[in-house]
Amino acid sequence: MFSGKPIKPTFKCYLPPAQTDRKNSIQPPIRLEPEFLPGEIVVNDVNFVRKCISAESSQGDLWGRLICTNFKVSFIPQGPPPKQKSLLSHLLLGQHDISLTCLEQVVTVNDTRGKRKVLGSNQKLKFNPTELILYCKDLRVIRFCFDEAGPESAKKVCLAIAHYSHPADLHLLFGFEYQGLRYHKGDLVNGSTPRGGIQTPVFDRPSDWDREIKRTGASGWRVCSINEKYAISDSLPEYIVVPVSLTDQDVKQHSPSFSDGRVPLWCWNHRNGSALVRMAGPADPLTQRKTEQKIFTAITKSHPQRREVTLSDLDKSLPNIQDIQSAFVKARQICTLDPFEESEERWLSSIENSRWLEYVRTFLKLSAEIVYNLDGKNVSVILLEEEDRDLNCVVSSLVQLMLDPHYRSLNGFQSLVQKEWVMAGHRFLDRCNHLKKNDSKESPLFTLFLDCVWQMTNQYPAAFEFTEFYLTVLSDSMWIPLFSTFLFNSSKQCAQLLQDFSKNKAIPQGEDHTVIFPPVWKWSQQFSTRDQTLFNNPMYVGKGAASVQNGEVKSFQRSKKAFSSTVRISSTSQRNGLKGEEEPLQRRGSLVSELKADFSPVKDESPSERFFRDWFSHPADQQGVLIPLVLPSHVVLWKLFFLRWVPEVCIPQGGPATVYHKVSQLVDEIEMLQGKLRQYKGASPRSTPVPSPGGPSSDQRRMYFKASSPDDPPTTPNILNSSFPFNPVGNLCPRGVQGTPISKFLNGAKTWLSTETLANDTF
């Protein structure tokens, strides 16, 4: 899967680093011990290992101890810790740690014999490795050299890493051992049960679904418990939402007609009465028409105006999971392994030829069409997929994100993922290939979804409460096997495995699964309170919040017709993409008409074209419907995800982090002033109000970067770069030279584009 041979260093030191330290330092040697989690044990280790920092020379490389545990690969540098530690402090993994689940390939190399081998579980290694290269699923590439290490010790640690990164069974993942010990220690997150305070709904009980029905005004739908104990379907949740006109007996009778018994599953309701529904393909084509007619009739009755339903067959409209996997592998290869070309246009062409961005545009485009049907035509839409567990997850989530501002809040977005991915039965175990048993089932559907979400946050930065850092660490969390969210193929598999797990660990039967094996939404498991403030978008325009448009401060007020089709986009530069975007359906006219800025009606304009033309001709309500632009010039590479570990393209004091820093400081200062004003207003008339000089305490402030003192000169922290808050140092890169033309281009230097390239991009 991976290619590219490691570059040999130009200089090799034959003096062991430990001898150098003893000769030149009077300090006693520092014991190289890692920090272990409960239940974590050392499987194998080797000393005198060199971690390569640069692919071109050994200057700056780190020497230390390489350890394999039952949870991670850990490198412990020898010598005093660096003066400036990594900005982001992960509570479960150190700066030089890699979860075993995160390993994609374990490659051993022998330079002298010219041999190279990809190691799997229970394999033999016939040569002594001089190098170990770890290819990670989060796109890191880490290289270790065994110049001074014992040959046998080096071989044993390589084999141990390969073996423990290929678990034979899900129960062997470290998360089960860790969570069992954590439970008996009473180490609950934040010292309270998961159901206390503001929590992300898990949708494992009727009350969660009831609240969602009431929130969306879905009066024609009800919670059905016919699938309790997974009586009709192994992959559906125990509680589903069905039309009120269908009885439990009707649902049970219709379930055998669908693949895996997956009766149509309600996703969301528009205030106008239209519903978004997902459905699996027929199990028996002979009875398909009769059963579908009954289901469609029931959905029609749930609409206040008895509107007919529209069926969207995603298998015919979208790429399959193998195509998506192939595109991702190519994009990953280009971004992390292949040397950057001197010609920027050639590099961008390679990215485009991978088809990853094309697939992102395709999913966004189709989702916008579904939005038109729900919001513009006021008709219910059924998303059809053969198994209803892959493409439907992506499209249903994107449609709700475009239509419902609740899902653009942090807690709302997490509930969306929980509802449309986890409880709907997305095969995270197979698609993430945690057990590395079947590569043909692997496909980055969830990564594709997060990329689509990032495209929308990039186009509408004030409409989302969360940041791209949040999306990135959410993606990284898939490779940490300590959370139930991304480990299982269905809620039934989760329930069965946790039941067996409870028996083995003497946990009382009937205990809440979220207590036994918490979901990823308990972010205090991974990050400190301060680091979690990086999730907060300082530009977020919440409900009823004010925003600046054309130099005037305006408040966004929701109209009585919620999710109205009259909400629009505001940016003039975005309007240039009107015709290409208004028409995610068909292409009409010349390039001039495609970019025409007067928004004049087109002859023989279809209703959908009129809907999109009208939408893009007005300013956008950040708390209303949002439709993304999908021209190639608008859907761009997600740099923080794909390029954060590449030192060559890391831009010191540059990238989006510099803007984030300034805006965060400004928002923090505003919130402090608001706090002082509230103190003044709350004081009694006869008393002298004395506001707190510091405003809210540091722990209560939402922004990561705090407002500076008026006496301090404005400065940009040295930690800021285009990879912020991640640290690319220590990741293997094709070249070690920074500031190349490609890095300048990636920083947004549009002047590098030729006129011809820009013209082609509009198509």
Side-chain angles (χ1 to χ4, degrees):
M1 183 180 298
F2 293 96
S3 63
K5 295 182 179 180
I7 301 174
K8 295 183 180 180
T10 56
F11 172 77
K12 180 177 180 180
C13 176
Y14 291 91
L15 183 64
Q19 297 178 17
T20 305
D21 290 342
R22 286 195 294 267
K23 181 179 179 180
N24 297 329
S25 175
I26 59 174
Q27 296 180 356
I30 297 177
R31 185 172 176 81
L32 309 181
E33 292 294 338
E35 295 183 5
F36 293 131
L37 296 176
E40 188 176 4
I41 58 174
V42 174
V43 175
N44 216 304
D45 68 320
V46 59
N47 288 306
F48 304 120
V49 177
R50 177 164 58 92
K51 182 179 181 181
C52 301
I53 302 300
S54 171
E56 294 184 328
S57 70
S58 59
Q59 186 176 4
D61 289 353
L62 299 176
W63 289 85
R65 179 185 177 199
L66 183 63
I67 302 172
C68 174
T69 75
N70 55 340
F71 169 50
K72 64 178 181 279
V73 176
S74 184
F75 177 76
I76 314 297
Q78 78 172 32
K83 294 181 180 179
Q84 181 178 336
K85 295 183 178 180
S86 177
L87 172 65
L88 191 63
S89 179
H90 202 286
L91 301 180
L92 300 173
L93 294 166
Q95 181 180 355
H96 301 282
D97 293 348
I98 310 161
S99 165
L100 290 171
T101 318
C102 188
L103 293 179
E104 178 78 22
Q105 279 191 355
V106 179
V107 180
T108 52
V109 180
N110 185 298
D111 273 343
T112 57
R113 300 177 62 180
K115 292 192 174 183
R116 179 186 181 95
K117 183 174 183 179
V118 179
L119 292 179
S121 180
N122 296 319
Q123 286 190 344
K124 295 182 179 180
L125 189 59
K126 296 182 179 180
F127 59 85
N128 293 325
T130 58
E131 293 181 10
L132 171 67
I133 304 177
L134 302 178
Y135 296 98
C136 306
K137 293 186 177 182
D138 63 359
L139 277 65
R140 282 181 293 173
V141 183
I142 312 296
R143 177 175 166 228
F144 299 100
C145 291
F146 304 118
D147 308 74
E148 308 300 335
E152 285 301 317
S153 298
K155 179 188 292 187
K156 288 180 180 179
V157 79
C158 290
L159 291 172
I161 292 172
H163 176 73
Y164 280 87
S165 63
H166 291 73
D169 186 78
L170 191 59
H171 272 301
L172 297 177
L173 289 177
F174 174 70
F176 288 90
E177 180 69 23
Y178 170 74
Q179 297 297 359
L181 291 173
R182 185 193 64 85
Y183 176 86
H184 285 294
K185 286 176 61 180
D187 185 19
L188 298 181
V189 180
N190 293 333
S192 62
T193 61
R195 291 286 169 178
I198 300 177
Q199 299 293 335
T200 298
V202 184
F203 294 99
D204 61 347
R205 57 197 66 195
S207 57
D208 289 343
W209 292 102
D210 272 326
R211 278 192 295 270
E212 191 68 4
I213 289 174
K214 292 176 182 177
R215 190 189 68 81
T216 59
S219 58
W221 299 79
R222 68 178 181 88
V223 180
C224 174
S225 58
I226 194 65
N227 197 39
E228 278 188 334
K229 297 183 179 179
Y230 307 97
I232 66 172
S233 175
D234 292 340
S235 58
L236 284 179
E238 288 190 276
Y239 305 99
I240 58 178
V241 177
V242 299
V244 294
S245 60
L246 285 181
T247 66
D248 286 7
Q249 187 60 34
D250 292 333
V251 177
K252 186 176 182 179
Q253 181 182 348
H254 295 325
S255 64
S257 300
F258 297 94
S259 175
D260 194 29
R262 292 181 66 93
V263 294
L265 186 65
W266 175 86
C267 301
W268 181 82
N269 232 72
H270 197 294
R271 294 292 182 182
N272 62 24
S274 59
L276 179 66
V277 183
R278 52 191 293 175
M279 184 176 77
D284 184 3
L286 298 178
T287 61
Q288 172 190 9
R289 193 172 190 84
K290 184 178 180 180
T291 303
E292 284 186 352
Q293 189 59 44
K294 292 180 179 179
I295 295 292
F296 291 1
T297 301
I299 296 175
T300 299
K301 289 180 179 179
S302 71
H303 197 293
Q305 302 171 18
R306 300 297 191 267
R307 295 287 184 89
E308 295 291 333
V309 300
T310 297
L311 185 68
S312 179
D313 191 340
L314 302 192
D315 289 320
K316 295 180 179 179
S317 308
L318 296 171
N320 59 42
I321 62 172
Q322 289 81 17
D323 291 337
I324 294 171
Q325 169 70 0
S326 175
F328 179 74
V329 169
K330 291 176 183 176
R332 177 177 60 187
Q333 175 84 16
I334 295 166
C335 291
T336 61
L337 297 177
D338 292 345
F340 286 108
E341 301 287 349
E342 293 298 331
S343 168
E344 296 80 21
E345 295 180 12
R346 187 184 304 173
W347 189 83
L348 291 174
S349 296
S350 299
I351 291 291
E352 188 62 34
N353 291 337
S354 73
R355 307 194 72 180
W356 177 256
L357 292 180
E358 175 190 334
Y359 292 159
V360 170
R361 291 194 296 268
T362 301
F363 275 86
L364 288 172
K365 195 174 183 181
L366 181 65
S367 300
E369 295 178 16
I370 306 301
V371 168
Y372 160 68
N373 283 285
L374 290 164
D375 187 67
K377 293 178 65 177
N378 189 14
V379 297
S380 297
V381 177
I382 298 178
L383 304 177
L384 174 64
E385 184 192 7
E386 182 179 358
E387 294 186 345
D388 181 34
R389 302 176 70 177
D390 291 306
L391 306 179
N392 272 359
C393 297
V394 182
V395 175
S396 64
S397 301
L398 290 176
V399 170
Q400 293 173 70
L401 202 68
M402 294 176 189
L403 285 168
D404 194 340
H406 168 69
Y407 294 127
R408 298 173 214 146
S409 66
L410 181 60
N411 197 59
F413 181 78
Q414 294 180 164
S415 71
L416 178 67
V417 174
Q418 187 71 30
K419 176 168 66 80
E420 297 299 327
W421 291 81
V422 181
M423 299 310 293
H426 179 65
R427 293 186 178 90
F428 278 108
L429 179 62
D430 291 342
R431 298 297 176 250
C432 296
N433 202 12
H434 287 316
L435 302 182
K436 301 179 178 64
K437 288 185 175 181
N438 194 338
D439 293 344
S440 64
K441 293 183 179 180
E442 184 175 359
S443 186
L445 272 301
F446 191 67
T447 301
L448 177 72
F449 166 66
L450 294 181
D451 199 329
C452 291
V453 175
W454 177 81
Q455 301 293 336
M456 293 189 65
T457 66
N458 190 45
Q459 294 181 21
Y460 302 98
F464 295 83
E465 186 180 14
F466 47 86
T467 61
E468 68 170 327
F469 165 73
Y470 166 79
L471 296 174
T472 308
V473 297
L474 180 58
S475 172
D476 291 345
S477 299
M478 286 193 290
W479 318 121
I480 303 177
L482 305 184
F483 319 114
S484 60
T485 309
F486 304 122
L487 272 189
F488 307 103
N489 282 334
S490 65
S491 56
K492 179 182 180 180
Q493 184 189 44
C494 174
Q496 288 179 334
L497 285 170
L498 292 187
Q499 185 176 7
D500 297 339
F501 166 68
S502 298
K503 291 180 181 179
N504 295 334
K505 297 298 180 182
I507 297 175
Q509 293 297 312
E511 180 65 273
D512 193 332
H513 289 168
T514 58
V515 175
I516 302 174
F517 218 116
V520 73
W521 316 127
K522 302 297 175 184
W523 290 107
S524 56
Q525 297 174 104
Q526 297 191 62
F527 302 104
S528 65
T529 302
R530 170 170 166 74
D531 283 346
Q532 288 179 62
T533 58
L534 286 167
F535 295 175
N536 300 328
N537 177 14
M539 293 182 283
Y540 175 58
V541 177
K543 187 175 181 179
S547 178
V548 178
Q549 282 192 2
N550 300 326
E552 298 181 8
V553 178
K554 300 181 179 180
S555 293
F556 292 116
Q557 299 294 336
R558 300 297 303 279
S559 61
K560 291 184 179 179
K561 183 183 178 184
F563 316 118
S564 168
S565 61
T566 59
V567 291
R568 320 292 174 211
I569 279 184
S570 58
S571 173
T572 303
S573 63
Q574 291 174 342
R575 290 177 184 173
N576 291 337
L578 165 69
K579 294 299 295 179
E581 179 56 21
E582 79 164 307
E583 178 203 8
L585 314 174
Q586 300 176 4
R587 178 169 295 280
R588 309 166 65 98
S590 65
L591 174 63
V592 176
S593 65
E594 295 291 336
L595 301 178
K596 200 170 183 179
D598 61 0
F599 306 105
S600 58
V602 179
K603 187 178 180 181
D604 300 329
E605 189 176 44
S606 69
S608 62
E609 291 172 328
R610 189 180 308 113
F611 172 82
F612 289 109
R613 176 181 59 79
D614 184 44
W615 198 94
F616 282 106
S617 63
H618 295 80
D621 180 354
Q622 305 294 320
Q623 287 289 299
V625 178
L626 293 182
I627 298 177
L629 294 152
V630 294
L631 286 177
S633 56
H634 297 126
V635 176
V636 296
L637 185 71
W638 184 8
K639 300 170 191 172
L640 185 64
F641 177 81
F642 282 99
L643 300 174
R644 57 183 160 147
W645 306 119
V646 184
E648 183 182 10
V649 299
C650 181
I651 307 164
Q653 303 288 302
T658 55
V659 177
Y660 177 80
H661 166 245
K662 294 297 183 184
V663 177
S664 296
Q665 285 187 316
L666 179 61
V667 170
D668 184 62
E669 186 173 1
I670 291 173
E671 291 180 348
M672 290 180 64
L673 292 174
Q674 288 175 337
K676 293 179 180 179
L677 285 174
R678 283 192 294 269
Q679 290 181 350
Y680 273 108
K681 292 179 180 179
S684 62
R686 296 182 180 180
S687 65
T688 303
V690 182
S692 172
S697 65
S698 179
D699 293 339
Q700 296 174 336
R701 288 154 73 176
R702 295 188 311 113
M703 295 296 107
Y704 183 84
F705 292 107
K706 307 298 187 286
S708 57
S709 170
D711 300 329
D712 296 335
T715 57
T716 302
N718 293 330
I719 57 175
L720 291 183
N721 55 53
S722 58
S723 294
F724 174 88
F726 304 98
N727 184 10
V729 175
N731 189 74
L732 188 65
C733 62
R735 288 202 303 265
V737 181
Q738 295 187 0
T740 59
I742 188 66
S743 67
K744 296 177 182 177
F745 179 82
L746 291 170
N747 194 27
K750 288 289 185 181
T751 53
W752 290 86
L753 279 175
S754 65
T755 306
E756 181 182 0
T757 305
L758 287 173
N760 292 335
D761 194 36
T762 58
F763 288 98

